[in-house]
Amino acid sequence: MKKIVLLLAFVTATFAQAQQINWMTLDEALEAQVKNPKPIFMDVYTDWCGPCKLLDKNTFQTKEVSDYVNANFYAVKFNGEGNSSVTYKGKTYTNPKFDPARKGRNSMHEFTGFLKVEGYPSMYVMNATGDVEKVIVGYYQPEQLLAELKTDN
């Protein structure tokens, strides 16, 4: 019984340390900008991307990064090979060649092509009117990402 209590205390402490960014879809963020203009921070990732997973685990879950992103941006998580529909600047983008049975890599989303994503992960900073102002490509440690984000705010 004592081992179970210690294990539960450890698990609780571990989860309490992980922070959470308030992710939303791009459509939700663009809609929120109409009511309250604020920049958008968008993480473009894929399910198979190792550096994307490390970014989620090592960078986005830190208190400093999650607090900063939540306070200063609408945060968007976008799967560059996903099957969602995105409306941006009056045009709707989809992934017509998406194959749900496919394991690993899938076809590129039309919005990924529009953004001219050069690699994964790619992070985009959009201004308060939704225009892309900055692109950050690759894995960044928390302090590196914060330095990049704070240069614009």
Side-chain angles (χ1 to χ4, degrees), residues 14-23 53-71 139-146 149-150:
T14 302
F15 283 113
Q17 291 174 354
Q19 300 296 308
Q20 187 68 31
I21 291 178
N22 300 321
W23 298 110
K53 293 174 185 180
L54 288 173
L55 192 64
D56 280 339
K57 181 181 176 184
N58 299 333
T59 302
F60 292 153
Q61 290 190 21
T62 64
K63 179 172 177 37
E64 296 79 17
V65 171
S66 60
D67 285 352
Y68 187 80
V69 169
N70 287 334
Y139 173 77
Y140 279 67
Q141 294 286 338
E143 60 280 356
Q144 294 170 313
L145 182 58
L146 285 171
L149 295 176
K150 289 180 179 181

PDB file of all heavy atoms in Angstrom, residues 14-23 53-71 139-146 149-150:
ATOM      1  N   THR A  14       4.811  14.744 -11.073  1.00  0.00           N
ATOM      2  CA  THR A  14       5.307  14.810 -12.439  1.00  0.00           C
ATOM      3  C   THR A  14       4.329  15.553 -13.334  1.00  0.00           C
ATOM      4  O   THR A  14       4.710  16.427 -14.099  1.00  0.00           O
ATOM      5  CB  THR A  14       5.560  13.394 -13.001  1.00  0.00           C
ATOM      6  OG1 THR A  14       6.500  12.740 -12.154  1.00  0.00           O
ATOM      7  CG2 THR A  14       6.092  13.441 -14.419  1.00  0.00           C
ATOM      8  N   PHE A  15       3.046  15.226 -13.236  1.00  0.00           N
ATOM      9  CA  PHE A  15       2.051  15.895 -14.067  1.00  0.00           C
ATOM     10  C   PHE A  15       1.835  17.339 -13.651  1.00  0.00           C
ATOM     11  O   PHE A  15       1.529  18.185 -14.469  1.00  0.00           O
ATOM     12  CB  PHE A  15       0.718  15.136 -14.061  1.00  0.00           C
ATOM     13  CG  PHE A  15       0.741  13.915 -14.943  1.00  0.00           C
ATOM     14  CD1 PHE A  15       0.650  12.652 -14.395  1.00  0.00           C
ATOM     15  CD2 PHE A  15       0.890  14.036 -16.309  1.00  0.00           C
ATOM     16  CE1 PHE A  15       0.681  11.531 -15.197  1.00  0.00           C
ATOM     17  CE2 PHE A  15       0.925  12.920 -17.124  1.00  0.00           C
ATOM     18  CZ  PHE A  15       0.822  11.666 -16.565  1.00  0.00           C
ATOM     19  N   ALA A  16       2.012  17.656 -12.410  1.00  0.00           N
ATOM     20  CA  ALA A  16       1.844  19.028 -11.939  1.00  0.00           C
ATOM     21  C   ALA A  16       2.908  19.941 -12.523  1.00  0.00           C
ATOM     22  O   ALA A  16       2.679  21.125 -12.727  1.00  0.00           O
ATOM     23  CB  ALA A  16       1.879  19.069 -10.416  1.00  0.00           C
ATOM     24  N   GLN A  17       4.088  19.394 -12.830  1.00  0.00           N
ATOM     25  CA  GLN A  17       5.169  20.196 -13.384  1.00  0.00           C
ATOM     26  C   GLN A  17       4.958  20.504 -14.860  1.00  0.00           C
ATOM     27  O   GLN A  17       5.402  21.537 -15.345  1.00  0.00           O
ATOM     28  CB  GLN A  17       6.506  19.473 -13.191  1.00  0.00           C
ATOM     29  CG  GLN A  17       6.930  19.406 -11.750  1.00  0.00           C
ATOM     30  CD  GLN A  17       8.187  18.569 -11.582  1.00  0.00           C
ATOM     31  OE1 GLN A  17       8.673  17.951 -12.514  1.00  0.00           O
ATOM     32  NE2 GLN A  17       8.704  18.542 -10.370  1.00  0.00           N
ATOM     33  N   ALA A  18       4.300  19.616 -15.590  1.00  0.00           N
ATOM     34  CA  ALA A  18       4.065  19.840 -17.014  1.00  0.00           C
ATOM     35  C   ALA A  18       3.030  20.947 -17.179  1.00  0.00           C
ATOM     36  O   ALA A  18       2.009  20.954 -16.512  1.00  0.00           O
ATOM     37  CB  ALA A  18       3.573  18.559 -17.677  1.00  0.00           C
ATOM     38  N   GLN A  19       3.336  21.880 -18.055  1.00  0.00           N
ATOM     39  CA  GLN A  19       2.437  22.994 -18.314  1.00  0.00           C
ATOM     40  C   GLN A  19       1.692  22.747 -19.613  1.00  0.00           C
ATOM     41  O   GLN A  19       2.107  21.932 -20.431  1.00  0.00           O
ATOM     42  CB  GLN A  19       3.232  24.300 -18.384  1.00  0.00           C
ATOM     43  CG  GLN A  19       3.980  24.613 -17.114  1.00  0.00           C
ATOM     44  CD  GLN A  19       3.057  24.846 -15.937  1.00  0.00           C
ATOM     45  OE1 GLN A  19       2.146  25.640 -16.016  1.00  0.00           O
ATOM     46  NE2 GLN A  19       3.292  24.146 -14.856  1.00  0.00           N
ATOM     47  N   GLN A  20       0.649  23.483 -19.819  1.00  0.00           N
ATOM     48  CA  GLN A  20      -0.180  23.261 -20.986  1.00  0.00           C
ATOM     49  C   GLN A  20      -0.385  24.544 -21.770  1.00  0.00           C
ATOM     50  O   GLN A  20      -0.817  25.547 -21.216  1.00  0.00           O
ATOM     51  CB  GLN A  20      -1.543  22.703 -20.545  1.00  0.00           C
ATOM     52  CG  GLN A  20      -2.431  22.275 -21.671  1.00  0.00           C
ATOM     53  CD  GLN A  20      -1.911  21.056 -22.407  1.00  0.00           C
ATOM     54  OE1 GLN A  20      -1.263  20.197 -21.839  1.00  0.00           O
ATOM     55  NE2 GLN A  20      -2.176  20.981 -23.682  1.00  0.00           N
ATOM     56  N   ILE A  21      -0.083  24.502 -23.044  1.00  0.00           N
ATOM     57  CA  ILE A  21      -0.428  25.609 -23.931  1.00  0.00           C
ATOM     58  C   ILE A  21      -1.887  25.419 -24.330  1.00  0.00           C
ATOM     59  O   ILE A  21      -2.338  24.300 -24.567  1.00  0.00           O
ATOM     60  CB  ILE A  21       0.492  25.629 -25.171  1.00  0.00           C
ATOM     61  CG1 ILE A  21       1.916  26.013 -24.753  1.00  0.00           C
ATOM     62  CG2 ILE A  21      -0.038  26.594 -26.229  1.00  0.00           C
ATOM     63  CD1 ILE A  21       2.937  26.017 -25.872  1.00  0.00           C
ATOM     64  N   ASN A  22      -2.622  26.502 -24.401  1.00  0.00           N
ATOM     65  CA  ASN A  22      -4.044  26.450 -24.764  1.00  0.00           C
ATOM     66  C   ASN A  22      -4.181  26.419 -26.286  1.00  0.00           C
ATOM     67  O   ASN A  22      -4.442  27.438 -26.921  1.00  0.00           O
ATOM     68  CB  ASN A  22      -4.783  27.653 -24.175  1.00  0.00           C
ATOM     69  CG  ASN A  22      -4.688  27.697 -22.676  1.00  0.00           C
ATOM     70  OD1 ASN A  22      -4.746  26.672 -22.004  1.00  0.00           O
ATOM     71  ND2 ASN A  22      -4.511  28.881 -22.135  1.00  0.00           N
ATOM     72  N   TRP A  23      -4.005  25.230 -26.868  1.00  0.00           N
ATOM     73  CA  TRP A  23      -4.054  25.070 -28.317  1.00  0.00           C
ATOM     74  C   TRP A  23      -5.472  25.202 -28.846  1.00  0.00           C
ATOM     75  O   TRP A  23      -6.427  24.800 -28.179  1.00  0.00           O
ATOM     76  CB  TRP A  23      -3.506  23.704 -28.721  1.00  0.00           C
ATOM     77  CG  TRP A  23      -2.077  23.470 -28.359  1.00  0.00           C
ATOM     78  CD1 TRP A  23      -1.604  22.617 -27.397  1.00  0.00           C
ATOM     79  CD2 TRP A  23      -0.913  24.085 -28.942  1.00  0.00           C
ATOM     80  NE1 TRP A  23      -0.234  22.667 -27.351  1.00  0.00           N
ATOM     81  CE2 TRP A  23       0.224  23.565 -28.291  1.00  0.00           C
ATOM     82  CE3 TRP A  23      -0.719  25.033 -29.949  1.00  0.00           C
ATOM     83  CZ2 TRP A  23       1.522  23.938 -28.618  1.00  0.00           C
ATOM     84  CZ3 TRP A  23       0.573  25.403 -30.269  1.00  0.00           C
ATOM     85  CH2 TRP A  23       1.675  24.864 -29.616  1.00  0.00           C
ATOM     86  N   LYS A  53       7.862  15.908 -31.833  1.00  0.00           N
ATOM     87  CA  LYS A  53       7.512  15.289 -30.551  1.00  0.00           C
ATOM     88  C   LYS A  53       8.404  15.815 -29.430  1.00  0.00           C
ATOM     89  O   LYS A  53       7.943  16.042 -28.310  1.00  0.00           O
ATOM     90  CB  LYS A  53       7.601  13.767 -30.661  1.00  0.00           C
ATOM     91  CG  LYS A  53       6.537  13.201 -31.586  1.00  0.00           C
ATOM     92  CD  LYS A  53       6.703  11.722 -31.817  1.00  0.00           C
ATOM     93  CE  LYS A  53       5.677  11.278 -32.852  1.00  0.00           C
ATOM     94  NZ  LYS A  53       5.755   9.886 -33.153  1.00  0.00           N
ATOM     95  N   LEU A  54       9.686  16.021 -29.735  1.00  0.00           N
ATOM     96  CA  LEU A  54      10.603  16.582 -28.737  1.00  0.00           C
ATOM     97  C   LEU A  54      10.215  18.020 -28.389  1.00  0.00           C
ATOM     98  O   LEU A  54      10.304  18.429 -27.233  1.00  0.00           O
ATOM     99  CB  LEU A  54      12.042  16.524 -29.242  1.00  0.00           C
ATOM    100  CG  LEU A  54      12.676  15.142 -29.298  1.00  0.00           C
ATOM    101  CD1 LEU A  54      14.038  15.209 -29.966  1.00  0.00           C
ATOM    102  CD2 LEU A  54      12.774  14.536 -27.910  1.00  0.00           C
ATOM    103  N   LEU A  55       9.793  18.783 -29.386  1.00  0.00           N
ATOM    104  CA  LEU A  55       9.350  20.156 -29.154  1.00  0.00           C
ATOM    105  C   LEU A  55       8.153  20.158 -28.206  1.00  0.00           C
ATOM    106  O   LEU A  55       8.101  20.948 -27.256  1.00  0.00           O
ATOM    107  CB  LEU A  55       8.995  20.816 -30.485  1.00  0.00           C
ATOM    108  CG  LEU A  55       8.783  22.309 -30.515  1.00  0.00           C
ATOM    109  CD1 LEU A  55      10.058  23.057 -30.164  1.00  0.00           C
ATOM    110  CD2 LEU A  55       8.311  22.735 -31.909  1.00  0.00           C
ATOM    111  N   ASP A  56       7.206  19.250 -28.442  1.00  0.00           N
ATOM    112  CA  ASP A  56       6.041  19.125 -27.548  1.00  0.00           C
ATOM    113  C   ASP A  56       6.473  18.774 -26.126  1.00  0.00           C
ATOM    114  O   ASP A  56       6.023  19.382 -25.164  1.00  0.00           O
ATOM    115  CB  ASP A  56       5.086  18.031 -28.040  1.00  0.00           C
ATOM    116  CG  ASP A  56       4.187  18.486 -29.166  1.00  0.00           C
ATOM    117  OD1 ASP A  56       3.996  19.714 -29.328  1.00  0.00           O
ATOM    118  OD2 ASP A  56       3.668  17.622 -29.889  1.00  0.00           O
ATOM    119  N   LYS A  57       7.350  17.801 -26.012  1.00  0.00           N
ATOM    120  CA  LYS A  57       7.753  17.276 -24.706  1.00  0.00           C
ATOM    121  C   LYS A  57       8.710  18.200 -23.948  1.00  0.00           C
ATOM    122  O   LYS A  57       8.528  18.448 -22.755  1.00  0.00           O
ATOM    123  CB  LYS A  57       8.407  15.907 -24.892  1.00  0.00           C
ATOM    124  CG  LYS A  57       8.849  15.256 -23.620  1.00  0.00           C
ATOM    125  CD  LYS A  57       9.511  13.920 -23.898  1.00  0.00           C
ATOM    126  CE  LYS A  57      10.048  13.313 -22.622  1.00  0.00           C
ATOM    127  NZ  LYS A  57      10.778  12.085 -22.857  1.00  0.00           N
ATOM    128  N   ASN A  58       9.725  18.709 -24.629  1.00  0.00           N
ATOM    129  CA  ASN A  58      10.796  19.439 -23.944  1.00  0.00           C
ATOM    130  C   ASN A  58      10.636  20.951 -23.933  1.00  0.00           C
ATOM    131  O   ASN A  58      11.224  21.618 -23.086  1.00  0.00           O
ATOM    132  CB  ASN A  58      12.147  19.118 -24.589  1.00  0.00           C
ATOM    133  CG  ASN A  58      12.495  17.655 -24.493  1.00  0.00           C
ATOM    134  OD1 ASN A  58      12.067  16.955 -23.598  1.00  0.00           O
ATOM    135  ND2 ASN A  58      13.260  17.182 -25.450  1.00  0.00           N
ATOM    136  N   THR A  59       9.891  21.501 -24.871  1.00  0.00           N
ATOM    137  CA  THR A  59       9.820  22.955 -24.992  1.00  0.00           C
ATOM    138  C   THR A  59       8.429  23.488 -24.653  1.00  0.00           C
ATOM    139  O   THR A  59       8.289  24.344 -23.781  1.00  0.00           O
ATOM    140  CB  THR A  59      10.234  23.394 -26.413  1.00  0.00           C
ATOM    141  OG1 THR A  59      11.554  22.911 -26.664  1.00  0.00           O
ATOM    142  CG2 THR A  59      10.209  24.907 -26.555  1.00  0.00           C
ATOM    143  N   PHE A  60       7.414  22.981 -25.329  1.00  0.00           N
ATOM    144  CA  PHE A  60       6.071  23.521 -25.127  1.00  0.00           C
ATOM    145  C   PHE A  60       5.523  23.270 -23.724  1.00  0.00           C
ATOM    146  O   PHE A  60       4.671  24.012 -23.255  1.00  0.00           O
ATOM    147  CB  PHE A  60       5.091  22.964 -26.153  1.00  0.00           C
ATOM    148  CG  PHE A  60       5.337  23.420 -27.563  1.00  0.00           C
ATOM    149  CD1 PHE A  60       4.944  22.648 -28.639  1.00  0.00           C
ATOM    150  CD2 PHE A  60       5.963  24.633 -27.833  1.00  0.00           C
ATOM    151  CE1 PHE A  60       5.152  23.062 -29.941  1.00  0.00           C
ATOM    152  CE2 PHE A  60       6.189  25.057 -29.133  1.00  0.00           C
ATOM    153  CZ  PHE A  60       5.775  24.271 -30.188  1.00  0.00           C
ATOM    154  N   GLN A  61       5.994  22.248 -23.036  1.00  0.00           N
ATOM    155  CA  GLN A  61       5.458  21.930 -21.710  1.00  0.00           C
ATOM    156  C   GLN A  61       6.185  22.633 -20.572  1.00  0.00           C
ATOM    157  O   GLN A  61       5.836  22.446 -19.415  1.00  0.00           O
ATOM    158  CB  GLN A  61       5.463  20.417 -21.497  1.00  0.00           C
ATOM    159  CG  GLN A  61       4.435  19.730 -22.359  1.00  0.00           C
ATOM    160  CD  GLN A  61       4.251  18.279 -21.994  1.00  0.00           C
ATOM    161  OE1 GLN A  61       4.569  17.853 -20.902  1.00  0.00           O
ATOM    162  NE2 GLN A  61       3.708  17.516 -22.907  1.00  0.00           N
ATOM    163  N   THR A  62       7.176  23.443 -20.887  1.00  0.00           N
ATOM    164  CA  THR A  62       7.838  24.172 -19.810  1.00  0.00           C
ATOM    165  C   THR A  62       6.956  25.341 -19.378  1.00  0.00           C
ATOM    166  O   THR A  62       6.210  25.903 -20.179  1.00  0.00           O
ATOM    167  CB  THR A  62       9.215  24.715 -20.239  1.00  0.00           C
ATOM    168  OG1 THR A  62       9.034  25.677 -21.276  1.00  0.00           O
ATOM    169  CG2 THR A  62      10.142  23.599 -20.678  1.00  0.00           C
ATOM    170  N   LYS A  63       7.057  25.696 -18.124  1.00  0.00           N
ATOM    171  CA  LYS A  63       6.243  26.780 -17.576  1.00  0.00           C
ATOM    172  C   LYS A  63       6.520  28.094 -18.292  1.00  0.00           C
ATOM    173  O   LYS A  63       5.590  28.818 -18.642  1.00  0.00           O
ATOM    174  CB  LYS A  63       6.499  26.917 -16.071  1.00  0.00           C
ATOM    175  CG  LYS A  63       5.711  28.044 -15.430  1.00  0.00           C
ATOM    176  CD  LYS A  63       5.837  28.025 -13.932  1.00  0.00           C
ATOM    177  CE  LYS A  63       5.130  29.174 -13.249  1.00  0.00           C
ATOM    178  NZ  LYS A  63       3.880  29.611 -13.793  1.00  0.00           N
ATOM    179  N   GLU A  64       7.789  28.386 -18.544  1.00  0.00           N
ATOM    180  CA  GLU A  64       8.147  29.663 -19.172  1.00  0.00           C
ATOM    181  C   GLU A  64       7.544  29.800 -20.567  1.00  0.00           C
ATOM    182  O   GLU A  64       6.969  30.836 -20.908  1.00  0.00           O
ATOM    183  CB  GLU A  64       9.675  29.817 -19.250  1.00  0.00           C
ATOM    184  CG  GLU A  64      10.369  29.881 -17.898  1.00  0.00           C
ATOM    185  CD  GLU A  64      10.551  28.497 -17.239  1.00  0.00           C
ATOM    186  OE1 GLU A  64      10.446  27.466 -17.924  1.00  0.00           O
ATOM    187  OE2 GLU A  64      10.797  28.469 -16.022  1.00  0.00           O
ATOM    188  N   VAL A  65       7.677  28.758 -21.378  1.00  0.00           N
ATOM    189  CA  VAL A  65       7.161  28.806 -22.751  1.00  0.00           C
ATOM    190  C   VAL A  65       5.638  28.807 -22.745  1.00  0.00           C
ATOM    191  O   VAL A  65       5.013  29.635 -23.413  1.00  0.00           O
ATOM    192  CB  VAL A  65       7.711  27.648 -23.605  1.00  0.00           C
ATOM    193  CG1 VAL A  65       6.998  27.574 -24.954  1.00  0.00           C
ATOM    194  CG2 VAL A  65       9.214  27.807 -23.808  1.00  0.00           C
ATOM    195  N   SER A  66       5.024  27.903 -21.994  1.00  0.00           N
ATOM    196  CA  SER A  66       3.553  27.842 -22.005  1.00  0.00           C
ATOM    197  C   SER A  66       2.943  29.132 -21.459  1.00  0.00           C
ATOM    198  O   SER A  66       1.980  29.656 -22.024  1.00  0.00           O
ATOM    199  CB  SER A  66       3.040  26.618 -21.247  1.00  0.00           C
ATOM    200  OG  SER A  66       3.445  26.648 -19.905  1.00  0.00           O
ATOM    201  N   ASP A  67       3.518  29.679 -20.388  1.00  0.00           N
ATOM    202  CA  ASP A  67       3.003  30.945 -19.843  1.00  0.00           C
ATOM    203  C   ASP A  67       3.139  32.074 -20.852  1.00  0.00           C
ATOM    204  O   ASP A  67       2.216  32.868 -21.046  1.00  0.00           O
ATOM    205  CB  ASP A  67       3.735  31.332 -18.549  1.00  0.00           C
ATOM    206  CG  ASP A  67       3.316  30.495 -17.353  1.00  0.00           C
ATOM    207  OD1 ASP A  67       2.343  29.711 -17.457  1.00  0.00           O
ATOM    208  OD2 ASP A  67       3.981  30.631 -16.301  1.00  0.00           O
ATOM    209  N   TYR A  68       4.300  32.158 -21.513  1.00  0.00           N
ATOM    210  CA  TYR A  68       4.526  33.240 -22.468  1.00  0.00           C
ATOM    211  C   TYR A  68       3.591  33.121 -23.675  1.00  0.00           C
ATOM    212  O   TYR A  68       2.982  34.102 -24.105  1.00  0.00           O
ATOM    213  CB  TYR A  68       5.986  33.271 -22.922  1.00  0.00           C
ATOM    214  CG  TYR A  68       6.271  34.488 -23.766  1.00  0.00           C
ATOM    215  CD1 TYR A  68       6.495  35.727 -23.175  1.00  0.00           C
ATOM    216  CD2 TYR A  68       6.270  34.413 -25.155  1.00  0.00           C
ATOM    217  CE1 TYR A  68       6.725  36.863 -23.942  1.00  0.00           C
ATOM    218  CE2 TYR A  68       6.497  35.539 -25.932  1.00  0.00           C
ATOM    219  CZ  TYR A  68       6.719  36.759 -25.318  1.00  0.00           C
ATOM    220  OH  TYR A  68       6.923  37.880 -26.090  1.00  0.00           O
ATOM    221  N   VAL A  69       3.492  31.923 -24.233  1.00  0.00           N
ATOM    222  CA  VAL A  69       2.628  31.720 -25.401  1.00  0.00           C
ATOM    223  C   VAL A  69       1.175  31.994 -25.033  1.00  0.00           C
ATOM    224  O   VAL A  69       0.473  32.717 -25.750  1.00  0.00           O
ATOM    225  CB  VAL A  69       2.817  30.304 -25.995  1.00  0.00           C
ATOM    226  CG1 VAL A  69       1.746  29.995 -27.029  1.00  0.00           C
ATOM    227  CG2 VAL A  69       4.198  30.168 -26.612  1.00  0.00           C
ATOM    228  N   ASN A  70       0.712  31.461 -23.919  1.00  0.00           N
ATOM    229  CA  ASN A  70      -0.678  31.675 -23.516  1.00  0.00           C
ATOM    230  C   ASN A  70      -0.996  33.153 -23.268  1.00  0.00           C
ATOM    231  O   ASN A  70      -2.091  33.616 -23.574  1.00  0.00           O
ATOM    232  CB  ASN A  70      -1.018  30.862 -22.266  1.00  0.00           C
ATOM    233  CG  ASN A  70      -1.138  29.383 -22.551  1.00  0.00           C
ATOM    234  OD1 ASN A  70      -1.434  28.968 -23.670  1.00  0.00           O
ATOM    235  ND2 ASN A  70      -0.889  28.570 -21.543  1.00  0.00           N
ATOM    236  N   ALA A  71      -0.050  33.903 -22.735  1.00  0.00           N
ATOM    237  CA  ALA A  71      -0.282  35.312 -22.414  1.00  0.00           C
ATOM    238  C   ALA A  71      -0.223  36.216 -23.642  1.00  0.00           C
ATOM    239  O   ALA A  71      -0.885  37.258 -23.669  1.00  0.00           O
ATOM    240  CB  ALA A  71       0.744  35.789 -21.384  1.00  0.00           C
ATOM    241  N   TYR A 139      13.767  22.299 -34.373  1.00  0.00           N
ATOM    242  CA  TYR A 139      13.620  22.107 -32.929  1.00  0.00           C
ATOM    243  C   TYR A 139      14.335  23.229 -32.186  1.00  0.00           C
ATOM    244  O   TYR A 139      15.478  23.569 -32.513  1.00  0.00           O
ATOM    245  CB  TYR A 139      14.208  20.757 -32.516  1.00  0.00           C
ATOM    246  CG  TYR A 139      14.233  20.563 -31.023  1.00  0.00           C
ATOM    247  CD1 TYR A 139      13.068  20.244 -30.343  1.00  0.00           C
ATOM    248  CD2 TYR A 139      15.403  20.729 -30.299  1.00  0.00           C
ATOM    249  CE1 TYR A 139      13.077  20.086 -28.965  1.00  0.00           C
ATOM    250  CE2 TYR A 139      15.421  20.564 -28.921  1.00  0.00           C
ATOM    251  CZ  TYR A 139      14.255  20.248 -28.266  1.00  0.00           C
ATOM    252  OH  TYR A 139      14.258  20.102 -26.910  1.00  0.00           O
ATOM    253  N   TYR A 140      13.668  23.793 -31.196  1.00  0.00           N
ATOM    254  CA  TYR A 140      14.250  24.848 -30.362  1.00  0.00           C
ATOM    255  C   TYR A 140      14.115  24.477 -28.896  1.00  0.00           C
ATOM    256  O   TYR A 140      13.050  24.012 -28.468  1.00  0.00           O
ATOM    257  CB  TYR A 140      13.526  26.186 -30.596  1.00  0.00           C
ATOM    258  CG  TYR A 140      14.000  26.922 -31.825  1.00  0.00           C
ATOM    259  CD1 TYR A 140      13.776  26.422 -33.097  1.00  0.00           C
ATOM    260  CD2 TYR A 140      14.681  28.124 -31.707  1.00  0.00           C
ATOM    261  CE1 TYR A 140      14.213  27.099 -34.230  1.00  0.00           C
ATOM    262  CE2 TYR A 140      15.127  28.810 -32.831  1.00  0.00           C
ATOM    263  CZ  TYR A 140      14.882  28.290 -34.083  1.00  0.00           C
ATOM    264  OH  TYR A 140      15.324  28.965 -35.189  1.00  0.00           O
ATOM    265  N   GLN A 141      15.159  24.695 -28.139  1.00  0.00           N
ATOM    266  CA  GLN A 141      15.104  24.568 -26.684  1.00  0.00           C
ATOM    267  C   GLN A 141      14.222  25.708 -26.161  1.00  0.00           C
ATOM    268  O   GLN A 141      14.043  26.717 -26.847  1.00  0.00           O
ATOM    269  CB  GLN A 141      16.509  24.678 -26.084  1.00  0.00           C
ATOM    270  CG  GLN A 141      17.437  23.551 -26.441  1.00  0.00           C
ATOM    271  CD  GLN A 141      17.100  22.276 -25.690  1.00  0.00           C
ATOM    272  OE1 GLN A 141      16.472  22.276 -24.649  1.00  0.00           O
ATOM    273  NE2 GLN A 141      17.524  21.148 -26.252  1.00  0.00           N
ATOM    274  N   PRO A 142      13.684  25.583 -24.944  1.00  0.00           N
ATOM    275  CA  PRO A 142      12.795  26.625 -24.416  1.00  0.00           C
ATOM    276  C   PRO A 142      13.381  28.032 -24.480  1.00  0.00           C
ATOM    277  O   PRO A 142      12.726  28.959 -24.961  1.00  0.00           O
ATOM    278  CB  PRO A 142      12.555  26.189 -22.967  1.00  0.00           C
ATOM    279  CG  PRO A 142      12.728  24.714 -22.986  1.00  0.00           C
ATOM    280  CD  PRO A 142      13.796  24.448 -24.011  1.00  0.00           C
ATOM    281  N   GLU A 143      14.616  28.207 -24.025  1.00  0.00           N
ATOM    282  CA  GLU A 143      15.206  29.559 -24.005  1.00  0.00           C
ATOM    283  C   GLU A 143      15.430  30.089 -25.422  1.00  0.00           C
ATOM    284  O   GLU A 143      15.310  31.292 -25.665  1.00  0.00           O
ATOM    285  CB  GLU A 143      16.508  29.590 -23.192  1.00  0.00           C
ATOM    286  CG  GLU A 143      17.621  28.692 -23.692  1.00  0.00           C
ATOM    287  CD  GLU A 143      17.495  27.210 -23.305  1.00  0.00           C
ATOM    288  OE1 GLU A 143      16.567  26.832 -22.556  1.00  0.00           O
ATOM    289  OE2 GLU A 143      18.331  26.424 -23.774  1.00  0.00           O
ATOM    290  N   GLN A 144      15.729  29.204 -26.378  1.00  0.00           N
ATOM    291  CA  GLN A 144      15.913  29.631 -27.767  1.00  0.00           C
ATOM    292  C   GLN A 144      14.593  30.107 -28.368  1.00  0.00           C
ATOM    293  O   GLN A 144      14.538  31.135 -29.046  1.00  0.00           O
ATOM    294  CB  GLN A 144      16.463  28.483 -28.622  1.00  0.00           C
ATOM    295  CG  GLN A 144      17.856  28.033 -28.261  1.00  0.00           C
ATOM    296  CD  GLN A 144      18.233  26.752 -28.989  1.00  0.00           C
ATOM    297  OE1 GLN A 144      17.477  25.788 -29.034  1.00  0.00           O
ATOM    298  NE2 GLN A 144      19.420  26.760 -29.583  1.00  0.00           N
ATOM    299  N   LEU A 145      13.527  29.326 -28.133  1.00  0.00           N
ATOM    300  CA  LEU A 145      12.222  29.697 -28.664  1.00  0.00           C
ATOM    301  C   LEU A 145      11.726  30.999 -28.043  1.00  0.00           C
ATOM    302  O   LEU A 145      11.224  31.880 -28.749  1.00  0.00           O
ATOM    303  CB  LEU A 145      11.199  28.578 -28.453  1.00  0.00           C
ATOM    304  CG  LEU A 145       9.809  28.865 -29.022  1.00  0.00           C
ATOM    305  CD1 LEU A 145       9.866  29.146 -30.531  1.00  0.00           C
ATOM    306  CD2 LEU A 145       8.867  27.704 -28.734  1.00  0.00           C
ATOM    307  N   LEU A 146      11.887  31.143 -26.740  1.00  0.00           N
ATOM    308  CA  LEU A 146      11.465  32.381 -26.085  1.00  0.00           C
ATOM    309  C   LEU A 146      12.212  33.589 -26.659  1.00  0.00           C
ATOM    310  O   LEU A 146      11.615  34.648 -26.883  1.00  0.00           O
ATOM    311  CB  LEU A 146      11.670  32.299 -24.569  1.00  0.00           C
ATOM    312  CG  LEU A 146      10.645  31.444 -23.829  1.00  0.00           C
ATOM    313  CD1 LEU A 146      11.065  31.247 -22.385  1.00  0.00           C
ATOM    314  CD2 LEU A 146       9.263  32.070 -23.915  1.00  0.00           C
ATOM    315  N   LEU A 149      10.589  34.419 -29.965  1.00  0.00           N
ATOM    316  CA  LEU A 149       9.249  34.992 -29.810  1.00  0.00           C
ATOM    317  C   LEU A 149       9.270  36.386 -29.209  1.00  0.00           C
ATOM    318  O   LEU A 149       8.474  37.243 -29.581  1.00  0.00           O
ATOM    319  CB  LEU A 149       8.367  34.062 -28.967  1.00  0.00           C
ATOM    320  CG  LEU A 149       8.058  32.699 -29.577  1.00  0.00           C
ATOM    321  CD1 LEU A 149       7.253  31.856 -28.603  1.00  0.00           C
ATOM    322  CD2 LEU A 149       7.334  32.849 -30.910  1.00  0.00           C
ATOM    323  N   LYS A 150      10.186  36.632 -28.303  1.00  0.00           N
ATOM    324  CA  LYS A 150      10.232  37.928 -27.627  1.00  0.00           C
ATOM    325  C   LYS A 150      10.813  39.025 -28.493  1.00  0.00           C
ATOM    326  O   LYS A 150      10.603  40.206 -28.191  1.00  0.00           O
ATOM    327  CB  LYS A 150      11.017  37.813 -26.313  1.00  0.00           C
ATOM    328  CG  LYS A 150      10.249  37.039 -25.260  1.00  0.00           C
ATOM    329  CD  LYS A 150      11.025  36.914 -23.965  1.00  0.00           C
ATOM    330  CE  LYS A 150      10.207  36.146 -22.936  1.00  0.00           C
ATOM    331  NZ  LYS A 150      10.911  36.031 -21.654  1.00  0.00           N
TER     332      LYS A 150
END
